Amino acid sequence: MTHGKTISNTGRSTFTMPDGRMLHLYGAYSGTPAWPLGAELHERDFSHRRWHPVRREWVVYSAHRQTRTYKPASNTCPLCPEASDGEVPVKDFSIAVFDNRFSSFQKTCPKPDPIPGLDLSVDSAAGNCEVVVYSADHKASMSTLSQDRRELLVKVWGDRVRALMRMPAVQAVMPFENRGEEAGVTLHHPHGQIYAFSYLPPVIETMAQSFREGYELSKLTSSAMHEIAQAESMAALVPPFARFPYEVWIVPKRFRPSPGDLGENEVKDCARLLALVAKKYDIFFKRACPYVMIVYVAPRGMEEYFPFHIQFYPLLRTPQKLKFLAGCELGAGSFLADLVPEEAARSLRDLRLEDIP
Ligand SMILES: [Zn+2]
């Protein structure tokens, strides 16, 4: 069954895919989604999670992900419009969001059976994984999207967070983008993802504790030594305690729990700074810089003190050298950095861009 519904204030049209997944088209699009025969037969499988009693954290098992699409040629990209067996079967679109076919978390997820002979906590991997396609253009990137499109992306994050938080099981929602093969990207079409967790992942839990106990993120926005760029309502900065050599955060000057709570001017500033950071990385490293970008949003019940902000972890130390997580980082959880954040901030700040919109 395919049905479309346009919601005028967000410009969102929602469709049910033949295999039961949802597709949301934000902004303008052309054509009516038409999936090929057989698309209803996509196999779905359930994940589960197990408690790691030594590290005290959940590990999610989704064996079906091993068969997911791996680096297809550009003429078979499933995120391009009208691709055969593609995920967004319209002529053109602005931003498309759909349930990941190879999802680690599922909206309806049965409780798994205990593992025989083992005293191990197991639970369902309830939640959801969505894919956010930034553009119909296979070659676009965060730095080349138009300002309008990036503003729409910030609004899409807000709208998806709101929608996913309506699922009773969901405790935390995290939009993110992995860019480049070094970040494990299997599809090069510009896209990010959104994970909705039915538990608090350990990093978000630790952050929540800091914010609950009164750490104020916005005070970072007034340090001239660490700023990369200032907008009226937000700053891009290297945090004085950065773990990655050229880590950059985008931080609102006023507390906001979610991108959905930003005013029009804040959305504009956020979109401008996203482009500025992505462009500076590409110019500074003289190549398409691989990075992981995380959009942190207040988890359920923490809307009073957990601030929305964005963290970029570029995976390069120099144009040729990757920043690897190895013995000390993985084994001890202690990051070793080769340069101090003030120096990284100065290098990125001094880099001049001619064409930031
Ligand atoms: Zn593509």
Side-chain angles (χ1 to χ4, degrees):
M1 181 185 69
T2 299
H3 64 268
K5 190 170 64 170
T6 300
I7 297 165
S8 58
N9 59 345
T10 59
R12 181 184 69 210
S13 306
T14 295
F15 305 88
T16 305
M17 297 161 92
D19 59 5
R21 291 179 294 142
M22 303 306 287
L23 167 69
H24 312 280
L25 297 176
Y26 286 88
Y29 67 95
S30 61
T32 305
W35 285 270
L37 285 174
E40 72 281 9
L41 300 174
H42 290 151
E43 273 186 47
R44 313 226 43 211
D45 204 354
F46 296 113
S47 309
H48 71 279
R49 58 186 156 118
R50 299 181 186 183
W51 182 248
H52 189 311
V54 182
R55 291 183 59 102
R56 300 185 174 188
E57 61 194 34
W58 290 105
V59 183
V60 179
Y61 297 87
S62 30
H64 57 286
R65 282 176 57 82
Q66 284 292 14
T67 58
R68 72 188 189 273
T69 316
Y70 184 72
K71 290 185 205 163
S74 65
N75 61 352
T76 62
C77 169
L79 306 185
C80 274
E82 295 193 303
S84 62
D85 200 24
E87 301 282 31
V88 198
V90 289
K91 285 189 169 56
D92 195 10
F93 62 87
S94 305
I95 290 183
V97 179
F98 57 85
D99 294 330
N100 195 327
R101 196 191 293 186
F102 305 97
S103 190
S104 297
F105 301 102
Q106 286 96 23
K107 286 181 211 172
T108 49
C109 199
K111 195 153 173 91
D113 294 330
I115 298 153
L118 276 181
D119 179 21
L120 197 65
S121 268
V122 294
D123 209 336
S124 73
N128 202 31
C129 297
E130 296 185 337
V131 177
V132 182
V133 190
Y134 297 172
S135 167
D137 177 3
H138 187 83
K139 295 200 178 324
S141 73
M142 183 67 87
S143 62
T144 64
L145 292 176
S146 69
Q147 169 70 8
D148 282 356
R149 183 61 56 81
R150 282 191 309 270
E151 288 175 19
L152 180 60
L153 178 61
V154 174
K155 291 177 181 174
V156 167
W157 288 334
D159 195 58
R160 296 318 307 152
V161 167
R162 212 177 288 124
L164 290 162
M165 281 293 195
R166 278 200 286 268
M167 292 169 59
V170 169
Q171 299 301 311
V173 177
M174 189 181 83
F176 64 96
E177 178 189 344
N178 299 329
R179 186 199 193 200
E181 290 185 13
E182 294 89 342
V185 166
T186 51
L187 297 173
H188 288 293
H189 198 111
H191 73 285
Q193 304 181 59
I194 302 178
Y195 275 25
F197 302 90
S198 55
Y199 58 93
L200 269 193
V203 171
I204 295 178
E205 189 167 28
T206 303
M207 291 169 73
Q209 192 178 351
S210 307
F211 296 132
R212 190 163 47 234
E213 290 172 3
Y215 183 78
E216 274 184 51
L217 201 58
S218 58
K219 69 184 179 192
L220 295 178
T221 62
S222 55
S223 168
M225 228 171 22
H226 297 98
E227 82 174 48
I228 305 297
Q230 286 278 349
E232 198 183 318
S233 67
M234 298 203 188
L237 53 97
V238 177
F241 36 74
R243 297 174 308 148
F244 285 78
Y246 292 93
E247 181 173 332
V248 170
W249 293 12
I250 296 174
V251 181
K253 295 181 183 175
R254 294 186 61 180
F255 174 85
R256 302 285 184 237
S258 163
D261 299 308
L262 298 177
E264 277 300 323
N265 287 337
E266 290 173 310
V267 169
K268 284 185 170 42
D269 286 348
C270 187
R272 275 192 207 102
L273 291 177
L274 281 166
L276 179 132
V277 174
K279 281 186 190 182
K280 287 218 172 200
Y281 280 153
D282 288 355
I283 293 170
F284 185 72
F285 289 112
K286 302 182 182 69
R287 54 167 291 194
C289 175
Y291 61 69
V292 172
M293 179 198 72
I294 310 286
V295 180
Y296 283 109
V297 176
R300 184 181 297 283
M302 302 180 189
E303 297 82 0
E304 295 291 314
Y305 53 82
F306 193 116
F308 151 70
H309 67 286
I310 298 170
Q311 300 188 7
F312 277 91
Y313 315 137
L315 303 182
L316 297 174
R317 291 191 289 136
T318 71
Q320 291 82 28
K321 289 186 185 147
L322 279 172
K323 166 70 185 171
F324 284 106
L325 301 190
C328 197
E329 288 85 355
L330 289 176
S334 262
F335 274 67
L336 307 175
D338 302 323
L339 102 158
V340 293
E342 295 74 34
E343 200 180 308
R346 186 169 49 243
S347 299
L348 291 173
R349 184 170 60 239
D350 290 350
L351 204 62
R352 292 287 155 212
L353 301 180
E354 310 302 331
D355 54 352
I356 293 294

